[in-house]
C-alpha cells in the first residue's frame, strides 16, 4: 500500500461494524504499522536528533513527588518515589498526520528513540538503578514526552541539631552526564516540583519543592553543564518523639530531686539516683543509634547529657549528705557559722522543723531539739554532805553516782551534737531538692523554647 493511498476512516460510517478485514479498525492498525516502519527505517537512536549540530537541543524536565519512602538520618540517604517527565523535539521523527489517517501521536517503547542521559547527580544507590523502561509519546510534529517512575536514593546532608524539632533540605540534582550545555539545554518546566499526587508521610511534612536551574563549569571540562535542582523542604512531625523520648526523660528527671526527700535511714537514696541515671542512659543510647555520628549534638541529646550530669551531681551530693547524717557520737560540734547559716536561716526559710518546733519561732540551735532537758540535779556535781548526815563509808557510793552522772552528761552532749548534724543534713537535703527541681524545670523550658 503506498503512502496516502488508503483513505482515512470516515465519520459517517454505519453504526454496525462492516464484517471482513477491510473495516476502519484494520485500516488504522495498518496505517500505524506503516507509520512505525517508515519512521524507523533509517533512524538511529544513538545520535542526538538535531537538524543543526551547532545548536543545543532543548530538553524540559518536570518531577512529581509521589512518596517519601524512607529518610535514613544515620547514613544521610533519602529514598523517594518520583515521576520524571522529560520532553524534547526529535527532528527526525515527524510525519504528516493527514497522510496516515489522522494519526497524531503514537506510543512506542522508549528504547526505539534517542533519549537524553539525564541522571541524578547525587545518587546514593549502590545499584545505580535508573528510570523504568516505559513507553514514550511521539507526536506528529516530533515532540517526544517520556514519563517514567523511579525510586531514587539521593544523598542528603542531615542537620540534627534541633532533633526532634528539626527540618531538612534535601536536594535532587538532575543533569546530563555526557552532553554539555552547548549540546543539551536542560530547563525546568515549572518553578516547583509537582506535589498534587503526593502521599502524606507519617514522619515528614513536605513544605515545598522549589526548582532552580544552575549552570556549572566543572574542573574536568571547560564547557558549561546545566542542571535542574529540586530542593525538598521537609519538617519532622515531632509527636512520636515527644511521647516516646522527650516526655519519659522529663518525668525521669523530676524523680532525681526526690532522692533528697527520702529519709536518710531508708537506705534507698543512692539507689534511686543510680537507677534514674541508668534509665536515662538507655534513652541516650536509643537516640545515638538513629543519629549520624557528627559533631553536632541533637537538642534532645544535649538535654539528656545535662540531665545525666545533674543526676550524677545529685547522687554525689546525696552521698556527702548521708555522711553528714551518720556522724557518730565522736563528731565535733557544729561550727558556729554552720549553726547560724544552716540551722537558723536556711531551716527557717525551708520550714525544716523538728517535733514541737514551728517554722516561725524554732528552738535555739544550741538545744538541737533533742526533747526534754535533763532533770535538775542529774548533771550537777555532788556537793559535800551535810554535817551529821554523812557516813564515811558512803564516799564510794557518792563517787560512783558522780561518775554515772558524768557519763550521762557526756552521752547527752554527744546525742545533742549528733542531732545537730542530722538536722544539718536534713536542711541540706531540703535545700538541694528545691535547687534541683528548679534546674530540671529551667532545662525543660529551655529545650522547649529553643525548639520553638
Amino acid at each position: 500500500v503506498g503512502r496516502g493511498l488508503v483513505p482515512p476512516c470516515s465519520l459517517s460510517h454505519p453504526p454496525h461494524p462492516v464484517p471482513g478485514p477491510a473495516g476502519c479498525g484494520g485500516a488504522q492498525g495498518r496505517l500505524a504499522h506503516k507509520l512505525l516502519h517508515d519512521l524507523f527505517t533509517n533512524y538511529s537512536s544513538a545520535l542526538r536528533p538535531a537538524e543543526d549540530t551547532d545548536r543545543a537541543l532543548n530538553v524540559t524536565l518536570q518531577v512529581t513527588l509521589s512518596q517519601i519512602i524512607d529518610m535514613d538520618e544515620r547514613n544521610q540517604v533519602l529514598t523517594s518515589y518520583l515521576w520524571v517527565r522529560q520532553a524534547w523535539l526529535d527532528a527526525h521523527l515527524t510525519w504528516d498526520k493527514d497522510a496516515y489517517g489522522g494519526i497524531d501521536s503514537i506510543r512506542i517503547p522508549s528504547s526505539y528513540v534517542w533519549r537524553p542521559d539525564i541522571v541524578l547527580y547525587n545518587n546514593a544507590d549502590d545499584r545505580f538503578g535508573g528510570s523504568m523502561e516505559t513507553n514514550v509519546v511521539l507526536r506528529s510534529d516530533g515532540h517526544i514526552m517520556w514519563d517514567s517512575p523511579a525510586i531514587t536514593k539521593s544523598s542528603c546532608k542531615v542537620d540534627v541539631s534541633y532533633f526532634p524539632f528539626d527540618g531538612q533540605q534535601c536536594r535532587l540534582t538532575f543533569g546530563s552526564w555526557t552532553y554539555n550545555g552547548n549540546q543539551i539545554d536542560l530547563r525546568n518546566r515549572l518553578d516547583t516540583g509537582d506535589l498534587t499526587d503526593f502521599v502524606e508521610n507519617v514522619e515528614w511534612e513536605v513544605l515545598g519543592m522549589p526548582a532552580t536551574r544552575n549552570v556549572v563549569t566543572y574542573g574536568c571540562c571547560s564547557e558549561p553543564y546545566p542542571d535542574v535542582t529540586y530542593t525538598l523542604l521537609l519538617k519532622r512531625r515531632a509527636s512520636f518523639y515527644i511521647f516516646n523520648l522527650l516526655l519519659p526523660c522529663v518525668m525521669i528527671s523530676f524523680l532525681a530531686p526526690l532522692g533528697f526527700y527520702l529519709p536518710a535511714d531508708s537506705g534507698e537514696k543512692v539507689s534511686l539516683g543510680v537507677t534514674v541515671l541508668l534509665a536515662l542512659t538507655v534513652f541516650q543510647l536509643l537516640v545515638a543509634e538513629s543519629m549520624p555520628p557528627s559533631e553536632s549534638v541533637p537538642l534532645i541529646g544535649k538535654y539528656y547529657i545535662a540531665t545525666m550530669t545533674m543526676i550524677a551531681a545529685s547522687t554525689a551530693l546525696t552521698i556527702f549528705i548521708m555522711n553528714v547524717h551518720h556522724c557518730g557520737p565522736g563528731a565535733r560540734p557544729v561550727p558556729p557559722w554552720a549553726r547560724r547559716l544552716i540551722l537558723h536561716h536556711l531551716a527557717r526559710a525551708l520550714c525544716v522543723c523538728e517535733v514541737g518546733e514551728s517554722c516561725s519561732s524554732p528552738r535555739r540551735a544550741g538545744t538541737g531539739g533533742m526533747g526534754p532537758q535533763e532533770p535538775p540535779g542529774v548533771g550537777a556535781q555532788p556537793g559535800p554532805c551535810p554535817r551529821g548526815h554523812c557516813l564515811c563509808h558512803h564516799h564510794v557510793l557518792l563517787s560512783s553516782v558522780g561518775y554515772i552522772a558524768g557519763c550521762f552528761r557526756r552521752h547527752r552532749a554527744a546525742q545533742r551534737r549528733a542531732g545537730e548534724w542530722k538536722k544539718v543534713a536534713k536542711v541540706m537535703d531540703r535545700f538541694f531538692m528545691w535547687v534541683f527541681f528548679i534546674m530540671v524545670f529551667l532545662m525543660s523550658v529551655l529545650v522547649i523554647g529553643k525548639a520553638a
Side-chain angles (χ1 to χ4, degrees):
V1 180
R3 180 187 293 266
L5 296 180
V6 179
C9 294
S10 175
L11 297 178
S12 60
H13 59 276
H16 301 284
V18 179
C24 178
Q28 286 285 346
R30 289 194 299 271
L31 288 174
H33 181 75
K34 181 183 184 306
L35 173 61
L36 185 64
H37 180 269
D38 293 343
L39 287 176
F40 293 97
T41 298
N42 296 318
Y43 181 80
S44 176
S45 60
L47 299 176
R48 185 171 60 96
E51 292 181 341
D52 187 359
T53 56
D54 295 332
R55 298 184 61 183
L57 180 66
N58 294 326
V59 177
T60 60
L61 179 69
Q62 176 62 30
V63 172
T64 299
L65 179 63
S66 177
Q67 185 180 0
I68 295 176
I69 299 177
D70 182 42
M71 180 65 173
D72 189 355
E73 291 94 346
R74 188 169 185 83
N75 297 318
Q76 303 189 77
V77 174
L78 171 67
T79 305
S80 55
Y81 179 41
L82 305 176
W83 299 345
V84 182
R85 170 174 292 184
Q86 305 175 45
W88 66 93
L89 177 63
D90 195 326
H92 305 312
L93 296 178
T94 60
W95 71 89
D96 183 9
K97 59 182 179 181
D98 295 332
Y100 290 91
I103 299 178
D104 183 53
S105 63
I106 56 175
R107 287 159 177 80
I108 56 177
S110 59
S111 59
Y112 285 14
V113 300
W114 174 89
R115 295 172 296 179
D117 55 346
I118 305 297
V119 296
L120 181 64
Y121 281 174
N122 56 333
N123 189 11
D125 194 356
D126 53 355
R127 297 190 303 270
F128 289 96
S131 302
M132 187 181 297
E133 295 292 334
T134 56
N135 291 340
V136 298
V137 179
L138 175 60
R139 300 184 64 86
S140 60
D141 54 0
H143 281 89
I144 297 178
M145 184 175 295
W146 182 26
D147 288 335
S148 60
I151 296 178
T152 61
K153 290 185 177 181
S154 58
S155 58
C156 178
K157 184 179 180 181
V158 179
D159 184 11
V160 293
S161 300
Y162 292 94
F163 175 85
F165 306 99
D166 58 329
Q168 306 297 333
Q169 294 184 3
C170 295
R171 291 176 173 83
L172 302 170
T173 303
F174 295 90
S176 175
W177 192 253
T178 58
Y179 294 103
N180 55 51
N182 300 324
Q183 297 169 330
I184 287 183
D185 186 13
L186 181 63
R187 295 185 177 274
N188 48 304
R189 185 165 176 260
L190 298 175
D191 294 334
T192 180
D194 190 6
L195 300 175
T196 55
D197 297 315
F198 176 70
V199 179
E200 292 292 334
N201 189 269
V202 295
E203 184 179 1
W204 296 96
E205 178 184 358
V206 178
L207 303 180
M209 194 178 179
T212 56
R213 181 180 181 271
N214 307 304
V215 179
V216 183
T217 301
Y218 297 97
C220 64
C221 315
S222 59
E223 298 85 2
Y225 282 83
D227 63 69
V228 177
T229 301
Y230 291 89
T231 304
L232 189 58
L233 306 178
L234 301 176
K235 181 181 178 182
R236 191 188 303 270
R237 303 180 191 270
S239 301
F240 174 81
Y241 299 97
I242 289 175
F243 286 101
N244 291 276
L245 291 181
L246 191 57
L247 283 183
C249 176
V250 173
M251 291 187 290
I252 291 175
S253 302
F254 276 98
L255 285 178
L258 292 178
F260 292 106
Y261 195 74
L262 277 176
D265 298 328
S266 64
E268 299 293 335
K269 294 171 71 69
V270 179
S271 301
L272 177 62
V274 173
T275 304
V276 172
L277 190 61
L278 291 176
L280 284 179
T281 305
V282 173
F283 282 101
Q284 174 69 17
L285 291 176
L286 291 177
V287 175
E289 287 179 356
S290 59
M291 293 295 101
S294 61
E295 294 183 356
S296 59
V297 182
L299 182 62
I300 189 173
K302 294 178 181 178
Y303 181 70
Y304 282 170
I305 293 174
T307 306
M308 291 168 65
T309 304
M310 185 197 67
I311 294 174
S314 67
T315 306
L317 285 173
T318 300
I319 296 174
F320 171 74
I321 293 174
M322 289 184 66
N323 190 20
V324 173
H325 176 83
H326 291 286
C327 284
R332 295 181 300 174
V334 178
W337 65 268
R339 182 180 290 109
R340 183 174 57 255
L341 176 63
I342 299 177
L343 296 183
H344 182 67
H345 298 291
L346 274 182
R348 179 180 296 179
L350 299 175
C351 199
V352 179
C353 309
E354 298 293 341
V355 178
E357 296 180 356
S358 63
C359 295
S360 58
S361 59
R363 291 186 179 182
R364 292 194 302 173
T367 63
M370 293 305 299
Q373 299 296 318
E374 298 177 0
V378 174
Q381 293 291 336
C385 294
R387 186 178 299 269
H389 295 280
C390 180
L391 299 177
C392 293
H393 64 275
H394 288 171
H395 71 278
V396 178
L397 179 61
L398 294 176
S399 63
S400 300
V401 171
Y403 175 75
I404 294 174
C407 291
F408 183 76
R409 184 170 54 253
R410 289 191 296 271
H411 177 69
R412 292 300 298 268
Q415 281 187 337
R416 187 181 300 112
R417 289 196 300 270
E420 287 182 348
W421 281 116
K422 287 183 179 181
K423 187 172 182 180
V424 168
K426 187 174 182 180
V427 173
M428 292 175 64
D429 265 335
R430 192 68 56 86
F431 172 72
F432 285 117
M433 182 189 72
W434 288 112
V435 168
F436 279 88
F437 263 128
I438 294 174
M439 290 176 60
V440 171
F441 177 76
L442 289 180
M443 282 195 302
S444 303
V445 172
L446 182 62
V447 168
I448 297 174
K450 194 172 183 180

